Amino acid sequence: MQLSTSHSQRHAGQPIVRAERIHKRFGAHKVLTGVDIELWEGEVVALLGINGAGKTTLINILSTLLKPDQGTAAIAGIDLLASPASARRHFSLTGQYAALDDFQSGHENLVMMARLGGLPRRDAHARARQLLESFELTTAAAKPVSSYSGGMRRRLDLAAGIASRPAALFLDEPTTGLDPQSRHRLWQEIRQLARDGTAILLTTQYLEEADRLADRILILHHGTLVAEGTGSELKGLLGGTHQVRFSFASLEDLDQASALTQATAVDPDAWSLTVATSNTASTIRQVLADLGGTNVANIAILQPTLDDVFLSLTEPNEPTQPAKEPAP
């Protein structure tokens, strides 16, 4: 499968985050094998992979919580290995669970984070008020965080992560456990942060989230980047192949059609089957001719999804082609 090769050509200057040839192992287990990554100002990049692919390990290396065995990394031009304390002034990390003080109010949490980030007291209070308004938390500003709902806590956690105005923000599955309304609201905040110039690296298990939020998507598999590109570019890796779904008036019609066509999937509950194709019109004509008198109730054209791409690159029985050969 061919890989998308266009990303750094779209940018001028230096990236906010750059990591090259990152290797990491735990004992005999290789977790990362020669990973390269760049993150640019105002860009949202989604990092996808199955559990154990190395996503969190990479985030931990970029946030100075782990040291790589090999490779180099810099944030805002500062070497993470040589000057980790200096580098930490330029990024923020928000994990899967809100890292907040439940006994303090929302305002107090934000002031604390802004002060830890180096803002003077007066500026920290002003920044806290601004963030509470931006994240629609003003009415709860004086309440203890222990009284906040899950969605409010995630919004406050994201606000705390940018209280010191970091150049880069690392989000490790930030919408895990949120209801759809809270998730969409958090998406809006992430988009606004990018518009304001923050470079954002996002890990997520929700492929729809990556497709809708990310300017660029990276797929990590067994510690190696196997694909990189925009959502549209990655879907194009399937070679233009999509599917046509035929729905039938009865289960008997579906059974008859299944015997007459080479379906890629059959859904007896929905009385439908799908056929892979790269020529929609020709396929529809041919299938209808093959079906003869079978009662077709509906025909729908299904475009490739990011799920299709992800599964094609990470299925155990599917060979994958790494973006670059690991260093010896």
Side-chain angles (χ1 to χ4, degrees):
M1 182 172 287
Q2 297 298 311
L3 302 174
S4 173
T5 57
S6 59
H7 78 275
S8 59
Q9 294 94 332
R10 302 173 184 151
H11 302 276
Q14 294 296 314
I16 300 297
V17 178
R18 170 175 283 164
E20 296 180 333
R21 313 301 294 164
I22 298 296
H23 290 253
K24 185 66 181 178
R25 70 164 65 212
F26 296 108
H29 179 54
K30 294 181 179 180
V31 181
L32 297 173
T33 56
V35 172
D36 295 346
I37 185 172
E38 292 180 343
L39 197 62
W40 299 81
E41 179 180 341
E43 182 183 39
V44 179
V45 174
L47 181 63
L48 307 180
I50 61 175
N51 291 335
K55 303 186 299 297
T56 298
T57 297
L58 181 58
I59 290 286
N60 287 341
I61 288 173
L62 294 177
S63 56
T64 72
L65 297 176
L66 280 176
K67 288 185 177 181
D69 299 326
Q70 286 181 248
T72 62
I75 292 182
I78 300 171
D79 190 314
L80 290 181
L81 300 180
S83 305
S86 298
R88 290 182 194 120
R89 300 192 186 103
H90 298 277
F91 71 84
S92 182
L93 168 66
T94 298
Q96 298 178 27
Y97 305 100
L100 303 166
D101 186 336
D102 282 352
F103 297 100
Q104 292 194 92
S105 69
H107 181 85
E108 289 168 337
N109 267 277
L110 294 180
V111 170
M112 175 181 67
M113 295 305 297
R115 294 283 287 146
L116 289 172
L119 270 64
R121 184 177 300 276
R122 179 176 295 181
D123 291 346
H125 281 275
R127 178 65 168 160
R129 289 191 294 270
Q130 175 197 349
L131 289 170
L132 288 164
E133 182 177 354
S134 297
F135 284 79
E136 299 182 7
L137 292 168
T138 302
T139 58
K143 296 179 180 178
V145 171
S146 59
S147 67
Y148 283 25
S149 68
M152 292 170 65
R153 290 174 66 89
R154 294 307 291 154
R155 298 206 309 277
L156 182 64
D157 198 33
L158 186 57
I162 61 166
S164 59
R165 297 186 175 91
L169 178 62
F170 304 133
L171 300 175
D172 192 9
E173 301 189 19
T175 61
T176 297
L178 292 185
D179 60 76
Q181 183 177 9
S182 297
R183 182 176 295 126
H184 280 273
R185 178 172 289 182
L186 200 59
W187 289 356
Q188 293 174 351
E189 301 300 341
I190 291 171
R191 290 190 187 101
Q192 185 58 53
L193 290 174
R195 286 193 289 269
D196 291 341
T198 303
I200 299 171
L201 180 62
L202 166 78
T203 73
T204 180
Q205 295 288 356
Y206 304 112
L207 271 65
E208 179 199 6
E209 183 166 83
D211 207 6
R212 296 184 62 171
L213 276 180
D215 301 298
R216 187 159 45 91
I217 297 169
L218 313 177
I219 298 180
L220 191 65
H221 192 50
H222 296 315
T224 300
L225 285 178
V226 294
E228 176 175 3
T230 66
S232 297
E233 287 171 342
L234 291 180
K235 293 168 192 174
L237 295 177
L238 296 181
T241 299
H242 48 272
Q243 296 179 323
V244 181
R245 182 174 61 206
F246 296 85
S247 299
F248 300 90
S250 69
L251 184 59
E252 290 75 15
D253 286 320
L254 173 62
D255 290 339
Q256 181 181 352
S258 299
L260 295 171
T261 60
Q262 294 184 339
T264 56
V266 177
D267 186 346
D269 295 324
W271 297 350
S272 68
L273 58 79
T274 55
V275 177
T277 178
S278 57
N279 189 326
T280 305
S282 175
T283 297
I284 291 175
R285 286 195 298 268
Q286 184 61 54
V287 170
L288 289 177
D290 292 342
L291 294 180
T294 305
N295 193 352
V296 177
N298 187 53
I299 300 174
I301 299 172
L302 308 178
Q303 300 296 330
T305 67
L306 195 56
D307 296 62
D308 298 325
V309 178
F310 183 80
L311 290 173
S312 73
L313 288 166
T314 60
E315 282 286 354
N317 294 328
E318 288 290 333
T320 58
Q321 179 181 346
K324 292 184 179 179
E325 287 297 320

